[in-house]
Amino acid sequence: MHRLKVVNDTILASGTDVEGYSPREVNVRNAMFILTCIMPLVAASFAFFGVPNWCKRNSLFSFHKIVSLWFFSVGFVGVALYHLPGQAPRILFIWAILHGQIEVVLNMLLLGFNGYQALAATWTFGLVQYGLTLSVEYPLTVFTVTAVVGGANDLLIFEALLYGKQYGLAAGAFCHVISAVTVFLGIGVNIGVVPWNVITFFSLWGHIFFMLQYILTSPTRVKDPRSQDDELEHEDPPNNPLHHVNFTPSLIGAFIAFGLVSSTIVAFLIAWVLPSD
């Protein structure tokens, strides 16, 4: 059994390092920097401004605004990954935790909690995760905890949307799960610049497409019941696409348990089985 390689408090991916990349690999990596870092920022702008009357909507605790922040955090994680090829110092996990805090807020919205509860949850999440990342001695432990909690966080979004029959959004969330697995896999194992970037590209593209498809097309034209003619009035999309779903505590617990078990298996494989040097 192998495990992740740690040098000077930094996890190093097994396989060819950046100095050994071919010209094609260098060019693919540079091109993907534009796609993985700029594309999420553009998508964040569409998510924020693409809703009718976005400037008049009172609630900051709304789906399109949280997704916008989610896209921003994806872009910033992409920047960190580009500038730290094959390396995972603690600052990379700090970025991942910040990204995870936004996902906690999104999960709280989808599961029917209010903004104050979401703020308390993401504050507690950050307190524990940042504290562990800064205080735990072994980077392997930091990697494992971040991967397990982050993976469970991602899966909870997917599970909630799938249960709520928002299949398009669930497809986007599943694409993000694939992206997350690819990121953590790349921390431990260099699977090749081209394969890694191809998987990242398609999973990120699917994540953005399905999320924006809902945000930009969900507003509908409905007939005003008070009107006697056929005039249609505009209806804004709901703040929460799962506002009609009742999530019981036992169901939420089952979702979390499934996510933790699944992400633990993946984290164990990456940290202890796959690395070869």
Side-chain angles (χ1 to χ4, degrees):
M1 182 179 290
H2 305 281
R3 69 173 186 175
L4 293 177
K5 181 169 60 177
V6 178
V7 178
N8 295 329
D9 200 49
T10 298
I11 297 174
L12 302 179
S14 64
T16 305
D17 59 22
V18 67
E19 287 78 12
Y21 289 167
S22 68
R24 181 198 176 197
E25 290 175 324
V26 172
N27 285 329
V28 167
R29 184 170 175 273
N30 291 339
M32 277 299 296
F33 171 74
I34 301 299
L35 293 174
T36 57
C37 301
I38 304 302
M39 187 167 63
L41 302 183
V42 174
S45 299
F46 276 100
F48 191 89
F49 297 111
V51 175
N53 300 320
W54 62 267
C55 59
K56 297 179 181 179
R57 295 172 70 86
N58 296 324
S59 178
L60 292 174
F61 189 57
S62 58
F63 183 73
H64 78 105
K65 292 177 182 176
I66 298 172
V67 169
S68 178
L69 290 175
W70 196 20
F71 286 155
F72 265 113
S73 68
V74 168
F76 286 122
V77 170
V79 172
L81 290 170
Y82 177 82
H83 286 288
L84 297 167
Q87 307 171 54
R90 292 179 190 258
I91 190 172
L92 182 60
F93 296 109
I94 294 295
W95 277 114
I97 295 167
L98 178 62
H99 172 73
Q101 284 188 279
I102 297 171
E103 292 177 331
V104 169
V105 175
L106 179 57
N107 272 318
M108 295 295 284
L109 170 75
L110 294 175
L111 295 174
F113 294 93
N114 61 44
Y116 295 107
Q117 292 169 317
L119 180 62
T122 194
W123 182 87
T124 303
F125 178 90
L127 178 68
V128 175
Q129 287 280 85
Y130 291 132
L132 287 173
T133 300
L134 296 173
S135 62
V136 170
E137 180 179 359
Y138 300 106
L140 187 57
T141 304
V142 174
F143 169 87
T144 303
V145 172
T146 306
V148 169
V149 176
N153 218 2
D154 290 329
L155 278 171
L156 183 55
I157 298 173
F158 167 69
E159 292 165 329
L161 291 169
L162 187 64
Y163 181 82
K165 299 181 180 180
Q166 289 286 359
Y167 299 121
L169 290 174
F174 184 73
C175 287
H176 184 64
V177 171
I178 296 174
S179 291
V181 172
T182 305
V183 167
F184 283 106
L185 177 62
I187 290 175
V189 184
N190 182 355
I191 64 174
V193 173
V194 175
W196 189 89
N197 281 286
V198 167
I199 296 172
T200 301
F201 168 74
F202 282 107
S203 58
L204 177 61
W205 195 271
H207 176 209
I208 290 175
F209 170 79
F210 286 110
M211 292 292 163
L212 286 185
Q213 188 274 336
Y214 172 85
I215 291 172
L216 298 180
T217 63
S218 59
T220 56
R221 305 290 290 185
V222 295
K223 183 176 180 180
D224 184 353
R226 297 167 299 178
S227 177
Q228 299 300 316
D229 54 30
D230 293 330
E231 181 182 355
L232 299 180
E233 289 196 357
H234 190 80
E235 180 182 89
D236 284 343
N239 280 346
N240 177 10
L242 302 182
H243 65 96
H244 58 288
V245 182
N246 178 35
F247 292 98
T248 63
S250 59
L251 180 62
I252 295 173
F255 284 165
I256 293 174
F258 176 80
L260 288 173
V261 171
S262 301
S263 57
T264 298
I265 294 172
V266 173
F268 177 80
L269 290 174
I270 295 174
W272 293 96
V273 178
L274 296 179
S276 59
D277 59 14

